[in-house]
Amino acid sequence: MFYHLNGIVTDIDINLAVIECGGVGYAVNTTTSTLSSLRINEKAKLYISEYVKEDCFELFGFATMSEKRCFEMLLTVSGIGPKAAQAILCATTPEGLALAIMNGDDKAITAAQGVGKKIAQRVILELKDKVSKEMGKTSVEIPAAAMMPAETGTNKNDAIAALMVLGYGAAEINAVIRKLDITGMSTEQIVKVALKNLA
């Protein structure tokens, strides 16, 4: 099983990069965001998600663990295959997708090539429901919430839910959120800062 590939970028194509490791070139499907961080003949490290079926074996690679987690979370949605998940992540960032799911914004998801409204609504329904169940089972601390402005407390709750959409657990989210000064920050800003710390 591949965890990551660390090698030289030898080719870049549409949503695909070739990473050479030990004399072997691995074709890795990837996203627009990850491709923008790669340069031919330079070293790169991509986190790998494998897709295996009887008639194919494909590698999907991501510059950040957050993007990989988001990709694998999308694959849990019925009717979403790796190509659709890849397309969605080409159209939006992990934090953008998480916020779209929490806000029920299907337009952000249908911006992906080949993804229609029904699939977008299914992504929102299944992943939001999953996060709601997880939050019901776990204790997510909101320290000093009473001392914060109401808006900040709401943004923090929304950010925690968005991070859970990306596959992070309550314990690791709590550990990072406790260290952040989020006063006056929007939900998206909290998510972005938290993701940097989680990475």
Side-chain angles (χ1 to χ4, degrees), residues 112-124:
Q113 187 175 5
V115 176
K117 190 165 185 175
K118 285 185 179 179
I119 291 178
Q121 289 174 339
R122 194 180 304 143
V123 168
I124 291 167

Side-chain angles (χ1 to χ4, degrees), residues 140-194:
V140 181
E141 296 174 16
I142 314 293
M147 299 174 65
M148 296 179 195
E151 185 180 357
T152 299
T154 300
N155 290 348
K156 180 181 247 186
N157 283 330
D158 290 345
I160 288 170
L163 291 165
M164 292 185 80
V165 167
L166 299 180
Y168 292 97
E172 54 188 333
I173 293 171
N174 278 330
V176 166
I177 291 287
R178 269 195 229 103
K179 298 174 185 176
L180 300 178
D181 178 10
I182 60 158
T183 306
M185 291 173 68
S186 68
T187 301
E188 187 171 5
Q189 288 171 329
I190 297 170
V191 172
K192 282 183 178 178
V193 173

Side-chain angles (χ1 to χ4, degrees), residues 3 18 26 32 49-50 52 57 71-72 90 92 99 112 122 126 137 140 157 172 176 179 187 198:
Y3 183 77
V18 177
Y26 294 90
T32 308
S49 182
E50 298 171 308
V52 183
F57 175 74
F71 174 81
E72 292 177 345
C90 281
T92 186
L99 292 171
R122 194 180 304 143
E126 292 189 22
K137 288 191 293 184
V140 181
N157 283 330
E172 54 188 333
V176 166
K179 298 174 185 176
T187 301
L198 286 163

Side-chain angles (χ1 to χ4, degrees), residues 71-149:
F71 174 81
E72 292 177 345
M73 183 74 78
L74 283 166
L75 293 181
T76 67
V77 177
S78 56
I80 294 283
K83 293 299 184 184
Q86 179 186 13
I88 290 169
L89 287 173
C90 281
T92 186
T93 61
E95 59 265 27
L97 176 63
L99 292 171
I101 290 167
M102 297 316 299
N103 295 326
D105 180 11
D106 57 16
K107 288 183 181 177
I109 300 171
T110 55
Q113 187 175 5
V115 176
K117 190 165 185 175
K118 285 185 179 179
I119 291 178
Q121 289 174 339
R122 194 180 304 143
V123 168
I124 291 167
L125 177 68
E126 292 189 22
L127 293 184
K128 194 170 185 178
D129 187 52
K130 182 174 183 177
V131 170
S132 297
K133 287 177 183 175
E134 287 299 316
M135 291 189 79
K137 288 191 293 184
T138 57
S139 174
V140 181
E141 296 174 16
I142 314 293
M147 299 174 65
M148 296 179 195

